[in-house]
Amino acid sequence: MLISGQLLLEDATASPAGRCRIAPGTLRVRDDRIEEVIEGELAAAADWGGPDCLIVPGLIDTHLHLPQFDIIGAHGLPLLQWLDQVTFPAELSWADTDHARAAASRAFDQCLRHGTTGICAYATVHHEATAAALRLASDRGLRGVIGQVLMDREAPSGLCRSADRSIAESADLLSRFPPGSRIAAAVTPRFAPTCSDELLARAGRLAAETGAVVQTHLAETVAECERVSVLFGGRDYAQVYADAGLLGPRTVCAHGIHLDPGSRRRLAASGTRIAHCPVANSFLRSGTMLRHELLDAGVAVTLGSDIGAGYERSMVRVGRAMIEAAAGLGGPVPAAATAWHAITAGNATAIGWDDAGRLAAGAMADLLIIRPDIAWLGLPIDPLARLMFAWDDRWIIRRFLRGQTIN
Ligand SMILES: [Zn+2]
């Protein structure tokens, strides 16, 4: 199969490293992978695309909550009240596995409609519902990790599980959806306030034994950090996770807004990833993450929608929000190419998917064909910036998962 158009390519020579560029060309796809990238030529007999089309890898979202697609837009509450009044009731409804399966299906539909083909997702504490979401994601051809949420306190009783039960159920999912699979289970303690020391420590051991991705939240709001200090005897938030063996290069901590320099150094030394979620941060008025300070400290930063506190299902608009958040701080402003890199190869590499998020020989053929309805080429203006700021999801005219078109 040949796909021709303007290819979004990684530019390893650009500074700062990891930007991307646009060049005309053709992808030759065989089975589920890109076999060859032919730069400079538009194939006359291409099966898909055209000279006015942009060909990009599927977008990757490193932080979202499947049950929260049904509560997007619940505005006006800070994090802890939003959890109690809006989020936990929605997650309780996943006790009904049929309801959960339907909700997960709607969530996957929305991801794909908006061009997201790779996800790091939270389900709920419900074992059967999480298993159903994993099975459905696998059947739909998505790539990603999905975790059964671990909580044993500070949440409604219907959302708390003993450490014994939580760890046994997570281990069961990891045996059925092993790390490294296209769809894998993840170890997912929600965040320190809802997890006892014992639960965190056993989650850390399970992740070390299985090589699973770890997902959690860190330092999203000041009130949450104060609660952690009370619950953990004054220990620093990042240190709580470090003590439980939960930090490391397979760990994605969402937010990381309210961190002191010592915590940033601890995160950098451990290789922990911080998922920056700018839309959710402004929505819950949690604060603005100092992305450039984390990068300067050597912390690996990914990008996430954090649906449903994040109301944007498009990772392009999340990338735009990253630019706007940095601009609001008055510091260095990332270029559009940096944001595009973040939602494709940057996110993929950070979570260990070296064959995702890029148009390269051998990469998985999870692809989008985009046909903008603006004159985006030929002007002396950065075309990526034009696309990102004028973005319209209706421009996505075709999606491919594993080399197969899905629309
Ligand atoms: Zn979250």
Side-chain angles (χ1 to χ4, degrees), residues 220 255 257 276-289:
E220 182 175 0
H255 306 302
I257 299 172
H276 178 31
C277 305
V279 178
N281 297 158
S282 68
F283 184 78
L284 296 179
R285 294 171 219 164
S286 304
T288 303
M289 191 245 231

Side-chain angles (χ1 to χ4, degrees), residues 63-65 68 79 82 122 190 216-217 220 254-255 277 280 305-309:
H63 184 70
L64 63 86
H65 298 258
Q68 295 179 20
L79 172 68
W82 175 82
Y122 292 49
R190 180 179 218 111
T216 191
H217 297 85
E220 182 175 0
H255 306 302
C277 305
S305 67
D306 195 16
I307 291 166

Side-chain angles (χ1 to χ4, degrees), residues 372-393:
D373 62 3
I374 60 170
W376 60 286
L377 284 168
L379 296 176
I381 300 171
D382 177 3
L384 281 173
R386 293 211 61 213
L387 293 177
M388 182 159 270
F389 282 92
W391 184 254
D392 186 328
D393 297 303

Side-chain angles (χ1 to χ4, degrees), residues 52-106:
D52 58 341
C53 290
L54 178 70
I55 317 297
V56 303
L59 309 177
I60 295 168
D61 185 345
T62 61
H63 184 70
L64 63 86
H65 298 258
L66 296 174
Q68 295 179 20
F69 278 77
D70 288 339
I71 55 160
I72 289 174
H75 192 241
L77 297 168
L79 172 68
L80 299 180
Q81 286 88 333
W82 175 82
L83 284 171
D84 283 337
Q85 296 176 33
V86 181
T87 307
F88 288 154
E91 296 194 5
L92 278 163
S93 70
W94 276 44
D96 177 341
T97 304
D98 289 338
H99 168 84
R101 190 180 293 108
S105 182
R106 289 193 297 276

Side-chain angles (χ1 to χ4, degrees), residues 22-391:
I22 294 172
T26 298
L27 303 180
R28 183 187 305 281
V29 174
R30 185 175 300 278
D31 301 325
D32 58 358
R33 292 189 181 264
I34 298 169
E35 185 178 55
E36 185 181 11
V37 178
I38 308 154
E39 195 174 333
E41 271 179 52
L42 294 184
D47 299 282
W48 304 104
D52 58 341
C53 290
L54 178 70
I55 317 297
V56 303
L59 309 177
I60 295 168
D61 185 345
T62 61
H63 184 70
L64 63 86
H65 298 258
L66 296 174
Q68 295 179 20
F69 278 77
D70 288 339
I71 55 160
I72 289 174
H75 192 241
L77 297 168
L79 172 68
L80 299 180
Q81 286 88 333
W82 175 82
L83 284 171
D84 283 337
Q85 296 176 33
V86 181
T87 307
F88 288 154
E91 296 194 5
L92 278 163
S93 70
W94 276 44
D96 177 341
T97 304
D98 289 338
H99 168 84
R101 190 180 293 108
S105 182
R106 289 193 297 276
F108 298 145
D109 284 343
Q110 294 187 49
C111 288
L112 292 168
R113 193 179 308 140
H114 291 81
T116 297
T117 60
I119 57 172
C120 296
Y122 292 49
T124 63
V125 300
H126 305 96
H127 185 57
E128 293 307 323
T130 306
L134 280 156
R135 172 57 51 209
L136 187 62
S138 180
D139 290 347
R140 297 287 291 273
L142 283 153
R143 186 166 191 165
V145 299
I146 299 174
Q148 179 176 338
V149 172
L150 309 179
M151 297 199 281
D152 64 352
R153 65 176 181 186
E154 304 252 327
S157 59
L159 292 178
C160 290
R161 301 284 185 271
S162 69
D164 278 347
R165 178 176 172 186
S166 290
I167 296 301
E169 290 177 348
S170 281
D172 172 63
L173 292 176
L174 285 162
S175 70
R176 292 157 65 187
F177 300 91
S181 310
R182 186 167 166 94
I183 284 289
V187 173
T188 309
R190 180 179 218 111
F191 66 161
T194 57
C195 299
S196 66
D197 253 331
E198 184 200 353
L199 180 56
L200 291 175
R202 293 180 65 178
R205 283 202 293 278
L206 180 63
E209 288 163 8
T210 57
V213 166
V214 173
Q215 310 180 95
T216 191
H217 297 85
L218 171 67
E220 182 175 0
T221 69
V222 171
E224 163 206 357
C225 294
E226 290 171 351
R227 190 73 191 132
V228 169
S229 184
V230 169
L231 290 166
F232 291 89
R235 262 187 295 162
D236 170 79
Y237 202 159
Q239 188 64 46
V240 168
Y241 290 151
D243 291 345
L246 284 165
L247 299 185
R250 288 191 305 274
T251 298
V252 181
C253 292
H255 306 302
I257 299 172
H258 306 283
L259 295 170
D260 61 23
S263 296
R264 288 183 199 140
R265 281 195 296 274
R266 190 171 296 120
L267 294 167
S270 66
T272 301
R273 279 58 173 134
I274 294 289
H276 178 31
C277 305
V279 178
N281 297 158
S282 68
F283 184 78
L284 296 179
R285 294 171 219 164
S286 304
T288 303
M289 191 245 231
L290 303 173
R291 178 175 172 273
H292 64 283
E293 291 195 9
L294 270 89
L295 293 174
D296 288 349
V299 179
V301 179
T302 69
L303 205 53
S305 67
D306 195 16
I307 291 166
Y311 52 86
E312 286 290 7
R313 288 157 289 182
S314 162
M315 284 306 293
V316 177
R317 279 193 286 273
V318 173
R320 187 169 75 196
M322 177 184 94
I323 295 172
E324 291 173 334
L329 290 170
V333 177
T338 303
W340 274 97
H341 170 78
I343 62 176
T344 53
N347 272 354
T349 301
I351 51 178
W353 301 344
D354 291 332
D355 62 345
R358 64 204 77 214
L359 304 184
M364 193 57 72
D366 298 331
L367 304 166
L368 309 175
I369 299 180
I370 293 158
R371 184 182 286 141
D373 62 3
I374 60 170
W376 60 286
L377 284 168
L379 296 176
I381 300 171
D382 177 3
L384 281 173
R386 293 211 61 213
L387 293 177
M388 182 159 270
F389 282 92
W391 184 254

